[in-house]
């Protein structure tokens, strides 16, 4: 048997997986989508998805990892040689995401530094963000710093690096979120914002909203990029997968909902109830929110706390992505972890440069009409992830057979869970994934808007 490292406890695993799941998607996308698609209605739809086939996909990945005790390529290969390419897709997705994810991670460190040094008023100025991301050198340096921090953790290995970092960062993240959320509640107009965010508005039900919830689920749970397979491969044989997945999902959606409590009332109060101010993506986080913070009492403290919280969310996700690449190199080439980390770090920093420069010096260079960072985002999230997930469901449901996963989950005698899982993985998940795939391609090219 190989002497593969393991998480030292179930909670260590749960915090690491939750650390991966809780990321930028929870903070800048979820509140925006919820506010846009019917408030509590969106939250209900989202919860329905994560508890049905989101649950099935996540358990499958963790079970595949734990059964084979290998990173994605080796894992699929050992289950069935013909499906090795599924592992390759997962690792390619991870390797393509880390560089541009770290570009954004670098922006967060920059903002944290600005707020910590009392620069709230600077960050709130018009043009501050645009000037920063278009400069040729500065964002690259911050990106490299982000990568180096993540690499430092991965370098230390599973127990002393990944598990320990998550054990510290995740609880602090929760405390910061609760503090900022509570403060946001005291702002004038907060109640109006909160109503808009939380009360289900069934008249705003739309297919777009359903598809957006689906896409958000994939991204937010870090599915289909080998992360859960890799982390699962370090999970102790005695731990209960079903329970762990439930806890990871509660953690992930809890932080997503909480993020709305921080952001929606504050932005609402600041903008006098404008929904537009809640627009997603970099604009919200790096342009609108700094203005909101600057307008508050205690702007330095609140702004710093917020960007620290976001940094913790992003770094724990970055770590998980990097670990996929590192553990694949270690498994495939029998390389030592520290060497693999050095190679991965250099690769990620170099690969991040075009994504970073694509906002400025190289902005004339587009692929399919998309800036470089957006192109990587599109090809990974909109195409490769759903395709990989679809093929995984087909593989498990029809080739490998669901029993293999169910046995790894030790559900031999739990007939209800067996039926539920099998139904999800064979029929429901593939159908919905096709819908995600089509909708994300169409929306990238402006045919529909999500
Ligand atoms: N799950 C993370 C989030 O919600 C996103 C992520 C994507 C993390 C890819 C790791 C890898 O932001």
């Amino acid at each position: 048997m190989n002497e593969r490292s393991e998480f030292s406890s179930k909670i260590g695993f749960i915090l690491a997986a939750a650390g991966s799941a809780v990321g930028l998607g929870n903070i800048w996308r979820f509140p925006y989508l919820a506010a846009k698609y019917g408030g509590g209605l969106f939250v209900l739809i989202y919860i329905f998805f994560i508890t049905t086939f989101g649950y099935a996909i996540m358990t499958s990945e963790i079970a595949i990892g734990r059964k084979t005790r290998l990173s994605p390529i080796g894992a699929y290969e050992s289950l069935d040689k013909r499906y090795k390419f599924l592992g390759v897709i997962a690792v390619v997705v991870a390797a393509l995401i880390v560089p541009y994810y770290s570009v954004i991670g670098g922006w967060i460190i920059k903002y944290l530094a600005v707020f910590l040094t009392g620069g709230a008023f600077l960050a709130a100025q018009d043009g501050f963000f645009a000037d920063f991301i278009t400069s040729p050198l500065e964002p690259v340096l911050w990106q490299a710093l982000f990568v180096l921090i993540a690499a430092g953790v991965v370098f230390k290995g599973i127990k002393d690096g990944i598990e320990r970092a998550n054990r510290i960062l995740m609880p602090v993240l929760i405390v910061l979120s609760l503090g900022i959320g509570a403060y946001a509640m005291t702002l004038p107009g907060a109640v109006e914002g909160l109503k808009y965010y939380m009360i289900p508005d069934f008249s705003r039900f739309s297919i777009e909203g359903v598809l957006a919830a689906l896409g958000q689920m994939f991204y937010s749970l870090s599915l289909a990029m080998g992360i859960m397979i890799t982390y699962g491969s370090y999970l102790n044989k005695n731990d209960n997968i079903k329970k762990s997945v439930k806890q990871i999902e509660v953690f992930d959606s809890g932080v997503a909902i909480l993020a709305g409590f921080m952001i929606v009332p504050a932005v609402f109060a600041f903008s006098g109830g404008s929904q537009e101010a809640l627009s997603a993506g970099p604009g919200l986080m790096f342009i609108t929110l700094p203005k909101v913070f600057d307008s508050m009492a205690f702007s330095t403290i609140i702004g710093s706390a917020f960007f620290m919280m976001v940094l913790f969310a992003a770094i724990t996700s970055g770590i998980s992505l990097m670990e996929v690449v590192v553990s694949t190199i270690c498994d495939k080439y029998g390389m030592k972890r520290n060497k693999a980390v050095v190679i991965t770090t250099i690769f990620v920093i170099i690969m991040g440069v075009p994504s970073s420069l694509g906002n400025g010096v190289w902005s004339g260079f587009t692929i399919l009409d998309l800036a470089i960072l957006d192109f990587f985002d599109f090809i990974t999230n909109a195409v490769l992830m759903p395709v990989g997930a679809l093929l995984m469901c087909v593989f498990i449901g029809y080739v490998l057979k669901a029993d293999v996963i169910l046995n790894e989950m030790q559900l031999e005698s739990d007939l209800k869970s067996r039926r539920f899982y099998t139904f999800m993985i064979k029929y429901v998940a593939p159908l919905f994934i096709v819908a995600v795939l089509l909708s994300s391609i169409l929306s990238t090219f402006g045919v529909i808007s999500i």
Side-chain angles (χ1 to χ4, degrees):
M1 266 317 276
N2 59 18
E3 28 23 278
R4 197 168 186 78
S5 314
E6 276 186 6
F7 288 105
S8 68
S9 63
K10 194 174 140 214
I11 185 73
F13 167 75
I14 291 170
L15 288 177
S20 172
V22 171
L24 298 171
N26 301 56
I27 297 161
W28 85 21
R29 240 173 91 78
F30 186 89
Y32 151 78
L33 290 175
K36 183 169 173 192
Y37 292 113
L41 172 67
F42 180 86
V43 179
L44 290 177
I45 298 174
Y46 183 79
I47 290 177
F48 173 73
F49 285 142
I50 61 170
T51 49
T52 52
F53 79 100
Y55 158 82
I57 296 181
M58 188 180 257
T59 47
S60 307
E61 291 198 20
I62 296 176
I64 287 180
R66 190 172 71 174
K67 181 173 171 53
T68 59
R69 300 182 77 71
L70 286 168
S71 49
I73 300 183
Y76 279 108
E77 191 180 13
S78 79
L79 292 173
D80 187 328
K81 279 210 170 33
R82 293 167 301 168
Y83 284 81
K84 176 180 169 187
F85 74 97
L86 283 181
V88 177
I89 295 184
V91 176
V92 167
V93 171
L96 288 179
I97 292 184
V98 222
Y100 83 80
Y101 203 81
S102 342
V103 170
I104 301 172
W107 298 350
I108 297 166
I109 305 184
K110 156 83 178 178
Y111 271 67
L112 175 59
V114 170
F115 273 92
L116 278 176
T117 50
F121 69 97
L122 285 175
Q125 273 163 19
D126 285 331
F128 179 84
F129 179 58
D131 286 347
F132 165 58
I133 63 166
T134 52
S135 75
L137 186 63
E138 213 197 324
V140 176
L141 297 178
W142 292 108
Q143 183 251 4
L145 179 61
F146 181 90
V147 179
L148 290 174
I149 299 173
V153 173
V154 175
F155 191 87
K156 294 211 139 242
I158 306 307
K159 273 199 196 84
D160 296 335
I162 297 179
E163 181 170 341
R164 189 187 287 165
N166 279 290
R167 262 177 192 272
I168 301 168
L169 298 182
M170 294 316 283
V172 177
L173 181 148
I174 296 289
V175 172
L176 287 173
S177 308
L178 288 173
I180 302 167
Y183 179 77
M185 283 321 138
T186 66
L187 300 172
V191 176
E192 275 317 295
L194 211 56
K195 277 191 192 153
Y196 178 71
Y197 174 52
M198 274 284 120
I199 297 178
D201 179 353
F202 291 95
S203 70
R204 301 216 318 269
F205 178 86
S206 67
I207 294 293
E208 279 93 346
V210 174
L211 292 173
L214 268 172
Q216 172 67 10
M217 182 200 83
F218 265 96
Y219 188 72
S220 192
L221 291 180
S222 300
L223 299 178
M225 49 191 118
I227 293 177
M228 294 301 159
I229 297 183
T230 308
Y231 276 10
S233 74
Y234 306 123
L235 181 62
N236 186 285
K237 285 281 178 201
N238 299 321
D239 286 334
N240 183 325
I241 297 183
K242 189 174 155 186
K243 264 205 204 128
S244 305
V245 170
K246 280 192 187 148
Q247 285 163 355
I248 297 164
E249 289 188 330
V250 169
F251 207 120
D252 186 56
S253 31
V255 174
I257 294 173
L258 200 55
F261 281 78
M262 288 180 261
I263 293 171
V264 180
V267 173
F268 239 64
F270 175 77
S271 64
S274 143
Q275 295 173 26
E276 233 131 82
L278 272 175
S279 70
L284 173 66
M285 181 103 79
F286 297 106
I287 301 173
T288 313
L289 280 176
K291 288 190 203 297
V292 175
F293 294 143
D294 186 44
S295 75
M296 291 175 172
F298 311 113
S299 58
T300 298
I301 299 178
I302 297 294
S304 306
F306 178 79
F307 280 103
M308 191 174 293
M309 187 275 290
V310 180
L311 177 62
F312 290 176
I315 205 93
T316 46
S317 298
I319 289 168
S320 69
L321 281 165
M322 222 164 161
E323 175 60 25
V324 171
V325 181
V326 168
S327 92
T328 302
I329 299 179
C330 293
D331 286 351
K332 279 268 103 180
Y333 304 104
M335 200 184 275
K336 283 254 173 339
R337 169 169 288 267
N338 45 14
K339 229 170 143 190
V341 172
V342 173
I343 294 174
T344 309
T345 307
I346 296 171
F347 165 82
V348 174
I349 292 179
I350 294 176
M351 283 285 290
V353 172
S355 285
S356 189
L357 296 183
N359 297 304
V361 191
W362 289 359
S363 61
F365 182 81
T366 57
I367 312 171
L368 297 176
D369 250 358
L370 299 168
I372 302 170
L373 192 151
D374 298 329
F375 172 74
F376 280 128
D377 188 41
F378 167 70
I379 204 76
T380 51
N381 285 315
V383 183
L384 289 175
M385 271 163 64
V387 169
L390 177 63
L391 293 172
M392 180 184 92
C393 294
V394 172
F395 171 60
I396 295 175
Y398 300 91
V399 183
L400 185 69
K401 301 290 186 254
D403 281 355
V404 176
I405 302 293
L406 288 163
N407 294 345
E408 181 61 34
M409 287 168 69
Q410 284 138 11
L411 288 178
E412 286 85 353
S413 52
D414 184 345
L415 199 61
K416 219 170 101 204
S417 298
R418 296 182 76 91
R419 282 208 184 118
F420 177 78
Y421 174 83
T422 311
F423 181 64
M424 286 297 146
I425 214 77
K426 282 181 90 161
Y427 308 108
V428 183
L431 204 75
F432 278 103
I433 297 170
V434 171
V436 178
L437 183 61
L438 290 179
S439 71
S440 51
I441 293 178
L442 294 178
S443 79
T444 305
F445 294 104
V447 184
I448 56 172
S449 77
I450 290 188

